[in-house]
mmCIF file of all heavy atoms in Angstrom:
data_model
loop_
_atom_site.group_PDB
_atom_site.id
_atom_site.type_symbol
_atom_site.label_atom_id
_atom_site.label_comp_id
_atom_site.label_asym_id
_atom_site.label_seq_id
_atom_site.Cartn_x
_atom_site.Cartn_y
_atom_site.Cartn_z
ATOM 1 N N PHE A 40 -20.879 -26.638 2.224
ATOM 2 C CA PHE A 40 -21.067 -25.839 3.433
ATOM 3 C C PHE A 40 -21.986 -26.595 4.400
ATOM 4 O O PHE A 40 -23.144 -26.854 4.091
ATOM 5 C CB PHE A 40 -21.686 -24.486 3.070
ATOM 6 C CG PHE A 40 -21.613 -23.478 4.190
ATOM 7 C CD1 PHE A 40 -20.565 -22.566 4.249
ATOM 8 C CD2 PHE A 40 -22.576 -23.455 5.182
ATOM 9 C CE1 PHE A 40 -20.487 -21.637 5.280
ATOM 10 C CE2 PHE A 40 -22.501 -22.538 6.216
ATOM 11 C CZ PHE A 40 -21.462 -21.626 6.269
ATOM 12 N N ASP A 41 -21.460 -26.956 5.578
ATOM 13 C CA ASP A 41 -22.257 -27.706 6.565
ATOM 14 C C ASP A 41 -23.048 -26.770 7.472
ATOM 15 O O ASP A 41 -24.268 -26.656 7.346
ATOM 16 C CB ASP A 41 -21.324 -28.589 7.392
ATOM 17 C CG ASP A 41 -20.773 -29.736 6.568
ATOM 18 O OD1 ASP A 41 -21.382 -30.048 5.524
ATOM 19 O OD2 ASP A 41 -19.741 -30.299 6.947
ATOM 20 N N GLU A 42 -22.328 -26.140 8.408
ATOM 21 C CA GLU A 42 -23.005 -25.256 9.361
ATOM 22 C C GLU A 42 -22.139 -24.022 9.597
ATOM 23 O O GLU A 42 -20.929 -24.048 9.423
ATOM 24 C CB GLU A 42 -23.237 -25.983 10.699
ATOM 25 C CG GLU A 42 -24.224 -27.124 10.614
ATOM 26 C CD GLU A 42 -24.390 -27.810 11.963
ATOM 27 O OE1 GLU A 42 -23.670 -27.428 12.909
ATOM 28 O OE2 GLU A 42 -25.230 -28.722 12.053
ATOM 29 N N PHE A 43 -22.828 -22.970 10.054
ATOM 30 C CA PHE A 43 -22.121 -21.730 10.365
ATOM 31 C C PHE A 43 -21.301 -21.906 11.647
ATOM 32 O O PHE A 43 -21.782 -22.447 12.644
ATOM 33 C CB PHE A 43 -23.126 -20.589 10.554
ATOM 34 C CG PHE A 43 -22.487 -19.274 10.901
ATOM 35 C CD1 PHE A 43 -22.029 -18.425 9.902
ATOM 36 C CD2 PHE A 43 -22.330 -18.893 12.230
ATOM 37 C CE1 PHE A 43 -21.438 -17.214 10.224
ATOM 38 C CE2 PHE A 43 -21.738 -17.684 12.551
ATOM 39 C CZ PHE A 43 -21.290 -16.847 11.547
ATOM 40 N N THR A 44 -20.053 -21.445 11.620
ATOM 41 C CA THR A 44 -19.189 -21.526 12.803
ATOM 42 C C THR A 44 -18.153 -20.415 12.775
ATOM 43 O O THR A 44 -17.796 -19.906 11.701
ATOM 44 C CB THR A 44 -18.466 -22.884 12.853
ATOM 45 O OG1 THR A 44 -17.663 -22.931 14.040
ATOM 46 C CG2 THR A 44 -17.554 -23.059 11.655
ATOM 47 N N LEU A 45 -17.675 -20.041 13.960
ATOM 48 C CA LEU A 45 -16.593 -19.057 14.080
ATOM 49 C C LEU A 45 -15.317 -19.720 14.586
ATOM 50 O O LEU A 45 -14.385 -19.032 15.021
ATOM 51 C CB LEU A 45 -17.018 -17.924 15.032
ATOM 52 C CG LEU A 45 -18.153 -17.011 14.546
ATOM 53 C CD1 LEU A 45 -18.533 -16.015 15.639
ATOM 54 C CD2 LEU A 45 -17.750 -16.250 13.282
ATOM 55 N N ASP A 46 -15.283 -21.052 14.529
ATOM 56 C CA ASP A 46 -14.137 -21.796 15.069
ATOM 57 C C ASP A 46 -12.824 -21.413 14.390
ATOM 58 O O ASP A 46 -11.784 -21.351 15.045
ATOM 59 C CB ASP A 46 -14.366 -23.306 14.912
ATOM 60 C CG ASP A 46 -15.425 -23.804 15.880
ATOM 61 O OD1 ASP A 46 -15.764 -23.036 16.822
ATOM 62 O OD2 ASP A 46 -15.918 -24.933 15.708
ATOM 63 N N TRP A 47 -12.867 -21.185 13.074
ATOM 64 C CA TRP A 47 -11.631 -20.860 12.355
ATOM 65 C C TRP A 47 -11.088 -19.515 12.771
ATOM 66 O O TRP A 47 -9.863 -19.324 12.821
ATOM 67 C CB TRP A 47 -11.885 -20.903 10.842
ATOM 68 C CG TRP A 47 -12.473 -22.202 10.395
ATOM 69 C CD1 TRP A 47 -13.724 -22.427 9.913
ATOM 70 C CD2 TRP A 47 -11.826 -23.483 10.438
ATOM 71 N NE1 TRP A 47 -13.913 -23.747 9.650
ATOM 72 C CE2 TRP A 47 -12.759 -24.431 9.954
ATOM 73 C CE3 TRP A 47 -10.574 -23.917 10.839
ATOM 74 C CZ2 TRP A 47 -12.458 -25.780 9.868
ATOM 75 C CZ3 TRP A 47 -10.266 -25.256 10.750
ATOM 76 C CH2 TRP A 47 -11.207 -26.177 10.272
ATOM 77 N N TYR A 48 -11.976 -18.568 13.093
ATOM 78 C CA TYR A 48 -11.537 -17.260 13.587
ATOM 79 C C TYR A 48 -10.969 -17.388 14.998
ATOM 80 O O TYR A 48 -9.983 -16.734 15.342
ATOM 81 C CB TYR A 48 -12.703 -16.263 13.553
ATOM 82 C CG TYR A 48 -13.095 -15.871 12.139
ATOM 83 C CD1 TYR A 48 -14.041 -16.604 11.439
ATOM 84 C CD2 TYR A 48 -12.486 -14.789 11.507
ATOM 85 C CE1 TYR A 48 -14.385 -16.269 10.140
ATOM 86 C CE2 TYR A 48 -12.817 -14.439 10.217
ATOM 87 C CZ TYR A 48 -13.773 -15.183 9.534
ATOM 88 O OH TYR A 48 -14.095 -14.844 8.249
ATOM 89 N N ARG A 49 -11.613 -18.242 15.828
ATOM 90 C CA ARG A 49 -11.069 -18.469 17.182
ATOM 91 C C ARG A 49 -9.686 -19.084 17.089
ATOM 92 O O ARG A 49 -8.782 -18.747 17.857
ATOM 93 C CB ARG A 49 -12.007 -19.403 17.970
ATOM 94 C CG ARG A 49 -13.356 -18.785 18.312
ATOM 95 C CD ARG A 49 -14.094 -19.617 19.348
ATOM 96 N NE ARG A 49 -15.485 -19.191 19.478
ATOM 97 C CZ ARG A 49 -16.501 -19.758 18.841
ATOM 98 N NH1 ARG A 49 -16.285 -20.792 18.037
ATOM 99 N NH2 ARG A 49 -17.728 -19.316 19.003
ATOM 100 N N GLU A 50 -9.506 -19.990 16.150
ATOM 101 C CA GLU A 50 -8.206 -20.643 15.971
ATOM 102 C C GLU A 50 -7.138 -19.628 15.566
ATOM 103 O O GLU A 50 -5.987 -19.712 16.019
ATOM 104 C CB GLU A 50 -8.321 -21.723 14.889
ATOM 105 C CG GLU A 50 -7.119 -22.649 14.834
ATOM 106 C CD GLU A 50 -7.358 -23.827 13.913
ATOM 107 O OE1 GLU A 50 -8.485 -24.395 13.946
ATOM 108 O OE2 GLU A 50 -6.441 -24.167 13.161
ATOM 109 N N VAL A 51 -7.534 -18.661 14.738
ATOM 110 C CA VAL A 51 -6.584 -17.617 14.332
ATOM 111 C C VAL A 51 -6.141 -16.806 15.536
ATOM 112 O O VAL A 51 -4.943 -16.565 15.760
ATOM 113 C CB VAL A 51 -7.221 -16.699 13.267
ATOM 114 C CG1 VAL A 51 -6.371 -15.446 13.052
ATOM 115 C CG2 VAL A 51 -7.384 -17.444 11.951
ATOM 116 N N PHE A 52 -7.115 -16.371 16.360
ATOM 117 C CA PHE A 52 -6.790 -15.502 17.496
ATOM 118 C C PHE A 52 -6.114 -16.269 18.638
ATOM 119 O O PHE A 52 -5.491 -15.650 19.506
ATOM 120 C CB PHE A 52 -8.054 -14.798 17.996
ATOM 121 C CG PHE A 52 -8.524 -13.703 17.072
ATOM 122 C CD1 PHE A 52 -9.658 -13.871 16.290
ATOM 123 C CD2 PHE A 52 -7.804 -12.518 16.964
ATOM 124 C CE1 PHE A 52 -10.080 -12.877 15.432
ATOM 125 C CE2 PHE A 52 -8.218 -11.512 16.107
ATOM 126 C CZ PHE A 52 -9.360 -11.688 15.334
ATOM 127 N N GLN A 53 -6.252 -17.602 18.678
ATOM 128 C CA GLN A 53 -5.590 -18.386 19.726
ATOM 129 C C GLN A 53 -4.175 -18.805 19.330
ATOM 130 O O GLN A 53 -3.422 -19.296 20.166
ATOM 131 C CB GLN A 53 -6.426 -19.645 20.039
ATOM 132 C CG GLN A 53 -7.714 -19.324 20.784
ATOM 133 C CD GLN A 53 -8.626 -20.531 20.912
ATOM 134 O OE1 GLN A 53 -8.315 -21.605 20.388
ATOM 135 N NE2 GLN A 53 -9.742 -20.353 21.602
ATOM 136 N N ASP A 54 -3.825 -18.594 18.069
ATOM 137 C CA ASP A 54 -2.489 -18.949 17.589
ATOM 138 C C ASP A 54 -1.537 -17.786 17.871
ATOM 139 O O ASP A 54 -1.504 -16.802 17.133
ATOM 140 C CB ASP A 54 -2.546 -19.250 16.082
ATOM 141 C CG ASP A 54 -1.255 -19.887 15.586
ATOM 142 O OD1 ASP A 54 -0.217 -19.710 16.249
ATOM 143 O OD2 ASP A 54 -1.298 -20.557 14.541
ATOM 144 N N THR A 55 -0.748 -17.901 18.932
ATOM 145 C CA THR A 55 0.144 -16.815 19.339
ATOM 146 C C THR A 55 1.174 -16.501 18.253
ATOM 147 O O THR A 55 1.485 -15.328 17.996
ATOM 148 C CB THR A 55 0.885 -17.203 20.630
ATOM 149 O OG1 THR A 55 -0.054 -17.637 21.589
ATOM 150 C CG2 THR A 55 1.654 -16.028 21.187
ATOM 151 N N ARG A 56 1.697 -17.542 17.632
ATOM 152 C CA ARG A 56 2.689 -17.323 16.570
ATOM 153 C C ARG A 56 2.098 -16.517 15.421
ATOM 154 O O ARG A 56 2.756 -15.615 14.888
ATOM 155 C CB ARG A 56 3.180 -18.687 16.069
ATOM 156 C CG ARG A 56 4.233 -18.587 14.997
ATOM 157 C CD ARG A 56 4.805 -19.952 14.637
ATOM 158 N NE ARG A 56 5.692 -19.864 13.499
ATOM 159 C CZ ARG A 56 5.296 -19.868 12.247
ATOM 160 N NH1 ARG A 56 4.006 -19.991 11.963
ATOM 161 N NH2 ARG A 56 6.166 -19.763 11.267
ATOM 162 N N LEU A 57 0.858 -16.805 15.070
ATOM 163 C CA LEU A 57 0.203 -16.087 13.978
ATOM 164 C C LEU A 57 -0.022 -14.618 14.341
ATOM 165 O O LEU A 57 0.133 -13.725 13.494
ATOM 166 C CB LEU A 57 -1.133 -16.760 13.658
ATOM 167 C CG LEU A 57 -1.648 -16.664 12.220
ATOM 168 C CD1 LEU A 57 -0.605 -17.148 11.232
ATOM 169 C CD2 LEU A 57 -2.923 -17.457 12.082
ATOM 170 N N LEU A 58 -0.348 -14.372 15.611
ATOM 171 C CA LEU A 58 -0.554 -12.985 16.047
ATOM 172 C C LEU A 58 0.762 -12.202 16.030
ATOM 173 O O LEU A 58 0.781 -11.013 15.707
ATOM 174 C CB LEU A 58 -1.156 -12.978 17.463
ATOM 175 C CG LEU A 58 -2.580 -13.519 17.573
ATOM 176 C CD1 LEU A 58 -3.059 -13.479 19.021
ATOM 177 C CD2 LEU A 58 -3.541 -12.722 16.682
ATOM 178 N N VAL A 59 1.866 -12.882 16.387
ATOM 179 C CA VAL A 59 3.183 -12.230 16.309
ATOM 180 C C VAL A 59 3.517 -11.871 14.862
ATOM 181 O O VAL A 59 4.013 -10.782 14.570
ATOM 182 C CB VAL A 59 4.271 -13.152 16.908
ATOM 183 C CG1 VAL A 59 5.665 -12.591 16.619
ATOM 184 C CG2 VAL A 59 4.067 -13.305 18.404
ATOM 185 N N ILE A 60 3.213 -12.794 13.946
ATOM 186 C CA ILE A 60 3.456 -12.537 12.516
ATOM 187 C C ILE A 60 2.592 -11.374 12.033
ATOM 188 O O ILE A 60 3.051 -10.520 11.257
ATOM 189 C CB ILE A 60 3.184 -13.812 11.700
ATOM 190 C CG1 ILE A 60 4.245 -14.864 12.011
ATOM 191 C CG2 ILE A 60 3.152 -13.522 10.205
ATOM 192 C CD1 ILE A 60 3.966 -16.214 11.410
ATOM 193 N N LEU A 61 1.347 -11.330 12.495
ATOM 194 C CA LEU A 61 0.460 -10.211 12.134
ATOM 195 C C LEU A 61 1.035 -8.893 12.639
ATOM 196 O O LEU A 61 1.032 -7.879 11.922
ATOM 197 C CB LEU A 61 -0.935 -10.455 12.727
ATOM 198 C CG LEU A 61 -1.959 -9.334 12.539
ATOM 199 C CD1 LEU A 61 -2.244 -9.121 11.060
ATOM 200 C CD2 LEU A 61 -3.252 -9.654 13.281
ATOM 201 N N LEU A 62 1.554 -8.902 13.873
ATOM 202 C CA LEU A 62 2.163 -7.693 14.437
ATOM 203 C C LEU A 62 3.404 -7.289 13.629
ATOM 204 O O LEU A 62 3.618 -6.095 13.360
ATOM 205 C CB LEU A 62 2.545 -7.952 15.905
ATOM 206 C CG LEU A 62 3.082 -6.746 16.677
ATOM 207 C CD1 LEU A 62 2.030 -5.655 16.765
ATOM 208 C CD2 LEU A 62 3.511 -7.173 18.086
ATOM 209 N N ASN A 63 4.223 -8.277 13.256
ATOM 210 C CA ASN A 63 5.395 -7.997 12.405
ATOM 211 C C ASN A 63 4.979 -7.338 11.096
ATOM 212 O O ASN A 63 5.593 -6.368 10.633
ATOM 213 C CB ASN A 63 6.138 -9.302 12.087
ATOM 214 C CG ASN A 63 6.854 -9.861 13.288
ATOM 215 O OD1 ASN A 63 7.125 -9.140 14.250
ATOM 216 N ND2 ASN A 63 7.161 -11.141 13.260
ATOM 217 N N THR A 64 3.925 -7.880 10.481
ATOM 218 C CA THR A 64 3.452 -7.361 9.190
ATOM 219 C C THR A 64 2.985 -5.906 9.308
ATOM 220 O O THR A 64 3.341 -5.064 8.478
ATOM 221 C CB THR A 64 2.296 -8.229 8.662
ATOM 222 O OG1 THR A 64 2.712 -9.594 8.631
ATOM 223 C CG2 THR A 64 1.871 -7.806 7.275
ATOM 224 N N LEU A 65 2.217 -5.623 10.355
ATOM 225 C CA LEU A 65 1.715 -4.256 10.543
ATOM 226 C C LEU A 65 2.858 -3.294 10.867
ATOM 227 O O LEU A 65 2.875 -2.150 10.384
ATOM 228 C CB LEU A 65 0.670 -4.232 11.670
ATOM 229 C CG LEU A 65 -0.634 -4.976 11.377
ATOM 230 C CD1 LEU A 65 -1.539 -4.958 12.608
ATOM 231 C CD2 LEU A 65 -1.356 -4.340 10.194
ATOM 232 N N THR A 66 3.820 -3.759 11.679
ATOM 233 C CA THR A 66 4.963 -2.904 12.017
ATOM 234 C C THR A 66 5.776 -2.568 10.771
ATOM 235 O O THR A 66 6.136 -1.401 10.545
ATOM 236 C CB THR A 66 5.866 -3.618 13.047
ATOM 237 O OG1 THR A 66 5.083 -3.973 14.181
ATOM 238 C CG2 THR A 66 7.002 -2.708 13.491
ATOM 239 N N ILE A 67 6.069 -3.589 9.970
ATOM 240 C CA ILE A 67 6.814 -3.369 8.726
ATOM 241 C C ILE A 67 6.035 -2.418 7.813
ATOM 242 O O ILE A 67 6.610 -1.490 7.224
ATOM 243 C CB ILE A 67 7.061 -4.712 8.007
ATOM 244 C CG1 ILE A 67 8.108 -5.539 8.749
ATOM 245 C CG2 ILE A 67 7.481 -4.486 6.554
ATOM 246 C CD1 ILE A 67 9.524 -5.041 8.603
ATOM 247 N N ALA A 68 4.725 -2.633 7.686
ATOM 248 C CA ALA A 68 3.916 -1.816 6.769
ATOM 249 C C ALA A 68 3.880 -0.353 7.215
ATOM 250 O O ALA A 68 4.087 0.560 6.398
ATOM 251 C CB ALA A 68 2.507 -2.386 6.679
ATOM 252 N N LEU A 69 3.646 -0.118 8.505
ATOM 253 C CA LEU A 69 3.546 1.265 8.993
ATOM 254 C C LEU A 69 4.896 1.975 8.929
ATOM 255 O O LEU A 69 4.985 3.128 8.513
ATOM 256 C CB LEU A 69 3.009 1.265 10.432
ATOM 257 C CG LEU A 69 1.528 0.890 10.581
ATOM 258 C CD1 LEU A 69 1.165 0.717 12.049
ATOM 259 C CD2 LEU A 69 0.647 1.972 9.957
ATOM 260 N N LEU A 70 5.964 1.273 9.355
ATOM 261 C CA LEU A 70 7.290 1.892 9.338
ATOM 262 C C LEU A 70 7.753 2.189 7.913
ATOM 263 O O LEU A 70 8.242 3.286 7.614
ATOM 264 C CB LEU A 70 8.305 0.957 10.019
ATOM 265 C CG LEU A 70 8.515 1.131 11.518
ATOM 266 C CD1 LEU A 70 9.528 0.112 12.028
ATOM 267 C CD2 LEU A 70 8.978 2.548 11.842
ATOM 268 N N SER A 71 7.605 1.201 7.022
ATOM 269 C CA SER A 71 8.056 1.404 5.640
ATOM 270 C C SER A 71 7.235 2.494 4.958
ATOM 271 O O SER A 71 7.779 3.293 4.182
ATOM 272 C CB SER A 71 7.971 0.094 4.852
ATOM 273 O OG SER A 71 6.628 -0.332 4.741
ATOM 274 N N ALA A 72 5.919 2.552 5.251
ATOM 275 C CA ALA A 72 5.077 3.592 4.643
ATOM 276 C C ALA A 72 5.482 4.973 5.135
ATOM 277 O O ALA A 72 5.574 5.922 4.338
ATOM 278 C CB ALA A 72 3.608 3.319 4.953
ATOM 279 N N ALA A 73 5.749 5.101 6.447
ATOM 280 C CA ALA A 73 6.129 6.407 7.002
ATOM 281 C C ALA A 73 7.481 6.862 6.456
ATOM 282 O O ALA A 73 7.633 8.012 6.008
ATOM 283 C CB ALA A 73 6.169 6.327 8.531
ATOM 284 N N ILE A 74 8.476 5.970 6.475
ATOM 285 C CA ILE A 74 9.818 6.350 6.006
ATOM 286 C C ILE A 74 9.817 6.619 4.501
ATOM 287 O O ILE A 74 10.406 7.599 4.029
ATOM 288 C CB ILE A 74 10.834 5.243 6.364
ATOM 289 C CG1 ILE A 74 10.940 5.111 7.886
ATOM 290 C CG2 ILE A 74 12.210 5.563 5.778
ATOM 291 C CD1 ILE A 74 11.760 3.915 8.348
ATOM 292 N N SER A 75 9.134 5.756 3.739
ATOM 293 C CA SER A 75 9.113 5.956 2.290
ATOM 294 C C SER A 75 8.337 7.215 1.912
ATOM 295 O O SER A 75 8.650 7.855 0.888
ATOM 296 C CB SER A 75 8.518 4.738 1.587
ATOM 297 O OG SER A 75 7.187 4.523 2.003
ATOM 298 N N THR A 76 7.353 7.604 2.725
ATOM 299 C CA THR A 76 6.627 8.846 2.450
ATOM 300 C C THR A 76 7.546 10.053 2.630
ATOM 301 O O THR A 76 7.554 10.969 1.789
ATOM 302 C CB THR A 76 5.404 8.968 3.383
ATOM 303 O OG1 THR A 76 4.523 7.877 3.146
ATOM 304 C CG2 THR A 76 4.656 10.263 3.133
ATOM 305 N N ILE A 77 8.345 10.043 3.697
ATOM 306 C CA ILE A 77 9.281 11.156 3.921
ATOM 307 C C ILE A 77 10.297 11.241 2.779
ATOM 308 O O ILE A 77 10.531 12.309 2.204
ATOM 309 C CB ILE A 77 9.999 10.964 5.277
ATOM 310 C CG1 ILE A 77 8.991 11.064 6.424
ATOM 311 C CG2 ILE A 77 11.101 12.008 5.450
ATOM 312 C CD1 ILE A 77 9.549 10.659 7.767
ATOM 313 N N ILE A 78 10.887 10.082 2.430
ATOM 314 C CA ILE A 78 11.885 10.068 1.354
ATOM 315 C C ILE A 78 11.234 10.418 0.011
ATOM 316 O O ILE A 78 11.785 11.177 -0.795
ATOM 317 C CB ILE A 78 12.558 8.684 1.279
ATOM 318 C CG1 ILE A 78 13.290 8.378 2.587
ATOM 319 C CG2 ILE A 78 13.524 8.617 0.104
ATOM 320 C CD1 ILE A 78 13.839 6.959 2.654
ATOM 321 N N GLY A 79 10.040 9.872 -0.230
ATOM 322 C CA GLY A 79 9.355 10.108 -1.503
ATOM 323 C C GLY A 79 8.949 11.562 -1.694
ATOM 324 O O GLY A 79 9.066 12.103 -2.806
#
Side-chain angles (χ1 to χ4, degrees):
F40 194 95
D41 290 341
E42 293 179 356
F43 179 86
T44 182
L45 293 175
D46 288 346
W47 306 112
Y48 290 89
R49 292 193 192 96
E50 192 171 318
V51 168
F52 287 107
Q53 288 172 357
D54 191 338
T55 309
R56 182 174 173 277
L57 209 54
L58 292 179
V59 170
I60 291 172
L61 175 63
L62 185 62
N63 289 340
T64 306
L65 293 176
T66 304
I67 288 286
L69 289 171
L70 269 179
S71 64
I74 296 172
S75 61
T76 299
I77 295 170
I78 298 173

